[in-house]
Amino acid sequence: MKRWTKEFGKGAPHGLALTRQGVPTYEPNEDAARGGYVLFEAEGPEGQNTAPQVVLIATGSEVHVAVEAREQLQADGVPTRVVSMPSVEWFEEQDQGYRDSVLPPSVKARVAVEAGIGLTWHKYVGDAGRIVSLEHFGASADAKVLFREFGFTAENVASVARESLAAAQR
């Protein structure tokens, strides 16, 4: 909402599509207005922040799945960062330094979680990255059922992250 302006010719149209699903909420973060930010940092064995081995990127209703996958990966000793990216367009407006601080170029293992078409995410995940996405339209059921049936589970995202880690090491 801080991006809005009444000045003619300033700013750009924007909107947020909100969900009616019962998803967890997280603490507000000022960097949400930058389009993407680190929601949860990778942690080492002592609980201290450390360099991530894998980055999970998600928007909206998918974020909690990435957070749950991070918990599984962290428990297995894989330092995992979760990036919330409510607006790819806003993230693209940021300087390269900020974008690199959120998505470090040195971390090739990346997974984007998108309950929509994954096309947008290839540029963010790279060659070793993976995308958990929904490439069709029209299924109707409770959101929890759909997420489970189409692979939007913490277990699947963690498994795909391990695939990305293996690909990054080749």
Side-chain angles (χ1 to χ4, degrees), residues 7-26:
E7 270 185 74
F8 181 76
K10 301 281 183 183
H14 58 276
L16 296 175
L18 305 177
T19 183
R20 296 177 294 176
Q21 300 169 26
V23 296
T25 57
Y26 302 98

Side-chain angles (χ1 to χ4, degrees), residues 38-120:
V38 176
L39 177 63
F40 288 103
E41 188 54 89
E43 295 178 356
E46 303 296 320
Q48 76 284 8
N49 288 354
T50 189
Q53 289 182 11
V54 64
V55 176
L56 307 178
I57 311 164
T59 66
S61 61
E62 304 89 349
V63 171
H64 75 283
V65 176
V67 170
E68 291 169 16
R70 174 191 176 270
E71 292 169 7
Q72 291 182 13
L73 291 161
Q74 285 283 157
D76 289 342
V78 180
T80 305
R81 173 183 285 185
V82 174
V83 170
S84 175
M85 195 170 300
S87 175
V88 171
E89 293 82 7
W90 296 355
F91 186 69
E92 284 295 316
E93 292 174 359
Q94 305 311 308
D95 64 68
Q96 191 65 49
Y98 178 77
R99 288 182 288 166
D100 288 349
S101 75
V102 174
L103 299 174
S106 61
V107 181
K108 304 297 183 196
R110 299 178 179 187
V111 177
V113 186
E114 172 63 61
I117 295 174
L119 184 64
T120 310

